[in-house]
Amino acid sequence: MRKKIIYLVEDDADISEMIQYLLSSMGGEVSACLTAEMFWKQMKVKLPDLIILDIMLPDGNGADIGEQLALDDSTEHIPILFMSANHSFRLPEQLSKNQFISKPFDINVFSDKVESLLVE
Amino acid sequence: MPVKYRSSPQSDVATLFHDSRLAFYTCDRNGYITYYNKAAAALWGREPVIGEELWCGSWKIYYPGGRVMPLDECPMALTLKQQPLPADNEIVIERPDSTFLNLLVYPQPLFDANGLLTGALNILVDITPKKTGEEKQAILSAIVESSDDAIISKSLKGIIMSWNKGAQKLFGYTEDEIIGKPITVLIPPELQEEETVIIGNIKAGNKIDHFRTTRITKWGKKVKISLTVSPVKDNMGRIIGASKIARDITEQLQKEEAIKLNSQRLELLNAIGKKVSASLDEDSILELITTDTANITGAAVGAFVYNMLDEHGQANQLTAVFGAPKEALENSGLFTPEFLNSTLIRVDDITKDSRYGKKAPQEVGGNGQPVITSYLAVPVETVSGEILGGLFFGHPEPGKFTAEHENIVSSIASQASVALNNCRLFTQVKNLSEKKDEFIALASHELKTPITSIKGYLQILQRSDLDKAGTLFLEKSLNQINKLNSLIGDLLDVSKVEAGKLTIQYESFDLKELVLDVIETFHYSSKTHKITFSSSADQIFVEADKQRIEQVLINLLSNAIKYSPNAELVVVELNASENEAKLSVKDKGIGLSEQHQKNIFTRFYRADGNENISGLGLGLYLSKEIILHHRGTIDVISEPGKGSTFYFSLPVKHQV
């Protein structure tokens, strides 16, 4: 089975590094983006199997990016795991097939969510 | 009562003397009373003992001035001692019942055939009633003379018969000038008819009480008076004239008028004050004050220019106008606070005023619009003297604004200043509070970022091969990280509750499942306590915010463990009735006193004596807020030393 491609959009370098380690150890191929701009560039190169998206980004909002992806037929199917330090964040209706995890998180719960999204 | 009189001549003459209305008595040569008749005993008010009492039968005697008269100096004593009597033969006696009588006494010595003194006869004449009448008359005259009121008497034909000093003071005429003149000289020409009415009433025997009218003085000045006129009757009861009491009520009327004006002004200010202080919105305060004040002063145009500070401290001018467009008033140049320079300005005709004449005529809005002639400008200052702005009023006619208006507008201006100051403070507090909430939101987000990577790395580390100590230390570190995280979460939540921004995101879920999940996580993290669970139902669906209810459950379970350090068991029960789901968490811990039970759900409250147990005192406060937001209830039953049971209820969702 080929390695799953995972795009990680997270502006905090330390969190990003920690998650990259975690995903790599799970056997994923991770591309980390610190900004929304970098993410969209990356999307033009190749489409991933999973996107892990922080809500609060320096140049955008993760929820807006998610909605844009949902509106595009070519990206609509890609599962997304949203992350935010705002634990009362709720996914909007049209993104409800995706998952959300609040920061800080238990890496076991995180891993479970990633795996469940990749299986789907 | 039989009286024993030692009356030697038992004859008709003796009886005549004895019953006589002329009071008299006799003494012997040595002064012992030898006889007195009934009339004398009646005057004395007592019956002296014959042959034993000396000089006089009176109980006490005084000189007319009130000085005590010794008994042996009474006229009878002097007569018998053959000493000269005082010219005044009046004495005052006091009777045993404490009444006083004025007596004239006529003592006469009695001699025998040889010319030897044998005794004396004294005749007593009671003059008390006469004295009282005279005193009354004297007192009345003195009252009339010293009265500040004018007291006049007149004949039925209206001729002035008497005139006191008060009348002279009020009307100016002396007694000599006015006696014999007709009363009508005091009545203004237009009120001459009044006299006819007054005389008519007097002739009919009617009294006129406190009749308010106007009279005229010697110098032609009109005075406001209150008049009381009563008929005067002669001894036969015939009406022969009238007495008039006139009181100058000019001052009284002025006071009444002032009180009326004052109370109107107070009512007005009160009404405006109520309206203004009920608002914390600057625009509506300015508009209210401008309109109300313009109406009170009768101004045609008005404006309230207010130097407001925006949230960045920048000056910003707000204007409320009345009666004319804003631009027109601004163009007139008369409606700027710089113009005021902290003094009040009231001008009857601004077009003729040299200071502002250059700008005349003050056209407001071009053709057909009023020109400002009357002008009133009042600064609105803070207590510290800072000019917040000004109230400006204008009217096309000259002299429209009075000193009274000036007073009212000044009072309104100070109310406005207070109200606007409150607005400023309110806005400042609101801004500060918003900033605080923004700060807490930002701070908690920023704090969570390092916690996220710390927790992640610690957990990754946990997966590697560690010795026993390493495993233990990691576990402890993770516990502390979780605690830190929940403290940050609580702080953020409290700030949301304070700001009224705690949002509840309803979803339908099985409460039993959630409770079991939460207890499960405690089994991992708490090695010290065992949590048992029982429930009467298979499923209990509620419509609630799952994350928030989870937060409450975690809080109650953490507390149960935290506050029962020496116990091992926490009992959780979940039951449902028709309308509500009720969950209880029971521990066998330290418990709470009644006082603590009352306060345990308030912010920052912590049961004292537990300083060794960490926490901010926010958990139960937030739990309460969350449950109340769900329209549920939360409470505690506890006994110190035995443990506590916290319980909450939520409305159940009926499955359709």
Side-chain angles (χ1 to χ4, degrees):
Chain A
M1 202 172 106
R2 70 167 179 90
K3 275 192 168 185
K4 296 282 186 184
I5 298 168
I6 304 169
Y7 287 176
L8 168 65
V9 192
E10 164 65 60
D11 62 318
D12 184 83
D14 291 317
I15 294 178
S16 179
E17 205 181 311
M18 187 271 290
I19 295 174
Q20 282 177 59
Y21 179 86
L22 201 59
L23 292 171
S24 304
S25 69
M26 285 168 72
E29 188 186 315
V30 190
S31 291
C33 311
L34 289 171
T35 62
E37 197 194 341
M38 279 169 74
F39 167 72
W40 288 119
K41 271 187 190 159
Q42 191 70 29
M43 285 296 280
K44 278 183 189 146
V45 180
K46 198 175 183 183
L47 293 182
D49 297 300
L50 172 69
I51 300 166
I52 298 174
L53 197 49
D54 189 22
I55 297 293
M56 225 203 270
L57 291 168
D59 59 344
N61 180 303
D64 293 344
I65 294 172
E67 275 172 47
Q68 258 175 280
L69 292 171
L71 289 173
D72 189 330
D73 286 344
S74 65
T75 56
E76 183 263 341
H77 66 281
I78 307 173
I80 309 170
L81 174 57
F82 291 93
M83 297 187 297
S84 173
N86 176 3
H87 68 93
S88 58
F89 176 81
R90 294 292 186 282
L91 283 178
E93 193 65 37
Q94 62 270 38
L95 297 175
S96 57
K97 70 182 172 88
N98 299 294
Q99 293 266 10
F100 170 76
I101 193 161
S102 70
K103 291 193 272 187
F105 47 75
D106 185 306
I107 58 166
N108 300 313
V109 177
F110 181 84
S111 305
D112 288 352
K113 287 194 189 247
V114 168
E115 265 163 21
S116 74
L117 286 169
L118 281 174
V119 168
E120 281 164 21
Chain B
M1 188 179 70
V3 183
K4 294 184 187 98
Y5 298 101
R6 197 193 297 164
S7 41
S8 41
Q10 294 290 333
S11 64
D12 288 346
V13 179
T15 311
L16 203 64
F17 279 133
H18 202 66
D19 293 337
S20 166
R21 292 186 61 182
L22 186 70
F24 65 92
Y25 70 98
T26 55
C27 287
D28 65 15
R29 188 172 44 159
N30 298 318
Y32 290 102
I33 296 173
T34 51
Y35 172 79
Y36 54 90
N37 70 352
K38 278 183 189 170
L43 283 182
W44 288 328
R46 63 190 291 273
E47 289 168 356
V49 184
I50 300 275
E52 284 182 20
E53 291 191 32
L54 279 164
W55 314 122
C56 178
S58 300
W59 188 53
K60 283 177 183 169
I61 319 173
Y62 304 88
Y63 290 99
R67 190 159 56 84
V68 175
M69 180 184 282
L71 198 57
D72 59 359
E73 283 178 24
C74 75
M76 181 60 131
L78 296 178
T79 304
L80 285 170
K81 289 173 189 170
Q82 294 189 292
Q83 285 173 10
L85 288 171
D88 190 1
N89 60 340
E90 186 179 340
I91 61 165
V92 178
I93 64 162
E94 185 180 353
R95 305 199 282 188
D97 64 358
S98 296
T99 55
F100 293 85
L101 291 181
N102 295 71
L103 301 181
L104 289 179
V105 293
Y106 299 96
Q108 288 292 323
L110 299 174
F111 301 97
D112 66 7
N114 300 322
L116 285 172
L117 182 74
T118 57
L121 167 79
N122 198 359
I123 297 169
L124 310 172
V125 179
D126 180 12
I127 57 165
T128 312
K130 192 168 160 256
K131 284 293 283 192
T132 313
E134 277 171 12
E135 271 166 21
K136 264 191 193 161
Q137 196 60 40
I139 290 167
L140 279 176
S141 305
I143 291 171
V144 168
E145 228 12 63
S146 63
S147 169
D148 277 342
D149 291 339
I151 301 174
I152 306 162
S153 64
K154 62 178 181 186
S155 71
L156 279 182
K157 286 184 177 161
I159 303 301
I160 294 168
M161 309 295 285
S162 74
W163 186 258
N164 75 341
K165 282 199 184 119
Q168 181 175 338
K169 206 168 133 199
L170 179 56
F171 298 111
Y173 300 99
T174 63
E175 200 177 346
D176 291 344
E177 283 174 319
I178 200 79
I179 299 277
K181 299 257 171 62
I183 194 83
T184 48
V185 300
L186 301 176
I187 303 176
E190 68 275 15
L191 296 177
Q192 290 286 335
E193 268 304 300
E194 275 183 10
E195 184 58 14
T196 322
V197 177
I198 292 170
I199 292 289
N201 269 295
I202 291 303
K203 281 181 178 163
N206 297 330
K207 190 178 174 211
I208 296 166
D209 264 328
H210 307 299
F211 170 56
R212 286 189 173 186
T213 183
T214 305
R215 288 294 178 261
I216 199 156
T217 68
K218 183 180 174 183
W219 301 285
K221 193 185 151 211
K222 285 183 178 172
V223 283
K224 299 270 182 199
I225 59 160
S226 165
L227 197 60
T228 299
V229 190
S230 320
V232 174
K233 296 172 184 175
D234 66 8
N235 289 344
M236 309 295 284
R238 290 174 300 205
I239 295 166
I240 52 164
S243 73
K244 306 178 64 148
I245 300 174
R247 173 169 297 179
D248 184 351
I249 54 167
T250 315
E251 212 173 299
Q252 188 188 339
L253 288 176
Q254 280 168 353
K255 277 182 193 156
E256 278 172 18
E257 192 59 28
I259 288 166
K260 208 170 116 191
L261 264 176
N262 252 327
S263 71
Q264 276 175 350
R265 194 195 300 169
L266 275 178
E267 262 174 48
L268 211 68
L269 288 176
N270 194 19
I272 293 178
K274 265 190 199 160
K275 279 200 270 180
V276 166
S277 52
S279 171
L280 278 171
D281 172 59
E282 281 157 335
D283 280 327
S284 51
I285 289 174
L286 296 188
E287 197 181 317
L288 255 170
I289 287 182
T290 315
T291 312
D292 277 4
T293 318
N295 285 334
I296 290 161
T297 55
V301 294
F304 191 157
V305 183
Y306 174 50
N307 293 320
M308 190 184 71
L309 291 179
D310 65 16
E311 55 190 300
H312 308 293
Q314 300 281 309
N316 204 341
Q317 214 164 64
L318 249 185
T319 314
V321 293
F322 171 85
K326 189 178 161 185
E327 298 71 32
L329 292 179
E330 277 171 357
N331 291 340
S332 76
L334 288 168
F335 291 74
T336 63
E338 294 78 39
F339 191 65
L340 269 170
N341 208 10
S342 95
T343 48
L344 183 148
I345 303 167
R346 178 162 62 91
V347 184
D348 282 345
D349 189 347
I350 194 98
T351 60
K352 291 195 183 124
D353 195 296
S354 60
R355 285 172 294 176
Y356 318 113
K358 280 177 201 157
K359 293 183 174 170
Q362 277 69 31
E363 277 212 19
V364 174
N367 289 344
Q369 293 285 356
V371 171
I372 295 169
T373 308
S374 291
Y375 177 71
L376 178 63
V378 180
V380 176
E381 294 177 84
T382 61
V383 183
S384 56
E386 183 199 350
I387 306 262
L388 292 176
L391 273 162
F392 304 90
F393 299 96
H395 196 280
E397 289 165 32
K400 269 284 166 183
F401 303 125
T402 63
E404 174 64 14
H405 290 141
E406 199 179 291
N407 282 339
I408 293 175
V409 180
S410 297
S411 306
I412 293 174
S414 33
Q415 285 198 338
S417 130
V418 172
L420 290 172
N421 210 28
N422 285 345
C423 284
R424 280 188 180 190
L425 291 174
F426 178 72
T427 311
Q428 274 175 16
V429 169
K430 220 170 67 180
N431 288 341
L432 281 175
S433 179
E434 274 165 17
K435 281 206 177 95
K436 176 205 72 182
D437 292 336
E438 275 169 29
F439 171 78
I440 290 176
L442 184 69
S444 66
H445 189 270
E446 288 304 304
L447 287 169
K448 278 181 175 180
T449 304
I451 289 178
T452 305
S453 41
I454 295 172
K455 183 172 175 176
Y457 280 123
L458 288 177
Q459 281 192 310
I460 290 167
L461 200 57
Q462 230 175 2
R463 290 176 174 180
S464 59
D465 271 342
L466 290 166
D467 60 13
K468 216 175 166 188
T471 311
L472 181 68
F473 297 162
L474 260 185
E475 197 180 291
K476 284 190 180 291
S477 306
L478 274 165
N479 272 343
Q480 295 308 311
I481 283 293
N482 287 339
K483 205 176 271 180
L484 183 57
N485 187 46
S486 74
L487 286 176
I488 294 166
D490 283 356
L491 273 180
L492 181 63
D493 285 345
V494 166
S495 118
K496 280 184 183 166
V497 168
E498 304 277 283
K501 283 179 188 159
L502 186 76
T503 50
I504 301 295
Q505 303 192 27
Y506 289 99
E507 60 182 302
S508 179
F509 63 91
D510 180 3
L511 181 60
K512 187 175 173 183
E513 194 187 318
L514 178 68
V515 175
L516 284 169
D517 282 352
V518 173
I519 292 175
E520 180 77 12
T521 63
F522 272 88
H523 280 155
Y524 285 122
S525 60
S526 170
K527 306 276 185 276
T528 53
H529 289 68
K530 190 172 175 249
I531 303 171
T532 65
F533 176 73
S534 62
S535 175
S536 61
D538 293 337
Q539 284 183 319
I540 299 173
F541 273 87
V542 290
E543 181 91 6
D545 188 321
K546 198 172 173 181
Q547 278 190 34
R548 292 291 181 193
I549 298 302
E550 184 179 354
Q551 194 181 342
V552 175
L553 285 168
I554 291 173
N555 180 250
L556 295 185
L557 283 169
S558 312
N559 279 348
I561 290 168
K562 200 155 78 172
Y563 292 100
S564 62
N566 301 318
E568 288 168 356
L569 194 65
V570 173
V571 179
V572 179
E573 278 182 40
L574 176 64
N575 291 303
S577 68
E578 197 184 338
N579 295 316
E580 59 176 25
K582 189 170 169 182
L583 182 124
S584 65
V585 177
K586 185 177 179 181
D587 68 57
K588 295 188 166 153
I590 56 176
L592 292 161
S593 69
E594 240 173 83
Q595 183 63 32
H596 288 330
Q597 289 177 43
K598 267 185 213 159
N599 296 310
I600 197 76
F601 293 103
T602 51
R603 195 167 42 128
F604 302 129
Y605 188 88
R606 301 196 57 226
D608 49 37
N610 301 318
E611 284 78 11
N612 54 334
I613 296 173
S614 69
L616 283 178
L618 292 174
L620 283 174
Y621 168 68
L622 285 171
S623 296
K624 183 195 75 181
E625 289 294 327
I626 290 166
I627 295 298
L628 292 184
H629 270 76
H630 282 85
R631 290 182 296 283
T633 58
I634 184 165
D635 213 338
V636 61
I637 304 169
S638 182
E639 204 178 319
K642 295 210 169 165
S644 308
T645 304
F646 282 87
Y647 57 93
F648 70 79
S649 64
L650 288 174
V652 295
K653 182 182 164 72
H654 293 284
Q655 296 290 303
V656 185

